[in-house]
Amino acid sequence: MRAPSSRILAVAVTAATMLGVGVGAASAASAGVTGPAFYVDGALYRTVLTPADLADTAAPEGSFDTIYDFGGAQPNVATAAPTDPDYNGGRWMVHELAFPQGYAAALTSGDANHDGVLDSDAELELAFIAGTALDRGVVASFECPVIPLSGHQR
Ligand SMILES: [Ca+2]
């Protein structure tokens, strides 16, 4: 199932680029928003294909899922995975995080399962509540399908 849909998306991305509307893919990557893997509810996922920038679309915010960008402190955290009923098909808004007391303080506040990483939006929420993590707002939006990393089952 994945290969045919991937081909369709690749064709769509190519067509969009030729039309001049998909020119933001490089900027999304250079913003550090498409790291090698990110967490959703404790499981690691990674993006596939080249992201298509959606910054200029008028799609409602509710049709996106959120990726929280840790700025390299750890893998990023997303709010939904393809197996979730509220998954929006790989349309992402990237929110930049800030750690006013340092990443270690946010980890102390939020790492509820003590595995040394904030690996779910629920854990990140704990850091938000404690004030050790701040949501600095949307820095990018793009469409990019994701797949689970092998060996991780939810
Ligand atoms: Ca954790």
Side-chain angles (χ1 to χ4, degrees), residues 111 113 115 117 119 123:
D111 187 16
N113 63 357
D115 64 349
V117 69
D119 53 352
E123 287 194 346

Side-chain angles (χ1 to χ4, degrees), residues 51-152:
D53 186 38
L54 298 178
D56 297 328
T57 64
E61 195 162 330
S63 69
F64 289 83
D65 292 313
T66 298
I67 294 177
Y68 290 105
D69 182 0
F70 280 74
Q74 64 154 72
N76 294 337
V77 169
T79 57
T83 51
D84 292 341
D86 59 347
Y87 180 64
N88 282 302
R91 286 184 299 279
W92 303 99
M93 281 190 167
V94 180
H95 288 239
E96 182 182 63
L97 296 175
F99 305 106
Q101 300 162 47
Y103 168 73
L107 190 61
T108 300
S109 303
D111 187 16
N113 63 357
H114 305 290
D115 64 349
V117 69
L118 299 177
D119 53 352
S120 68
D121 56 332
E123 287 194 346
L124 182 57
E125 184 66 28
L126 295 174
F128 284 151
I129 291 169
T132 52
L134 300 176
D135 182 347
R136 302 192 63 177
V138 176
V139 293
S141 57
F142 61 92
E143 179 166 359
C144 192
V146 302
I147 60 171
L149 285 177
S150 59
H152 273 269

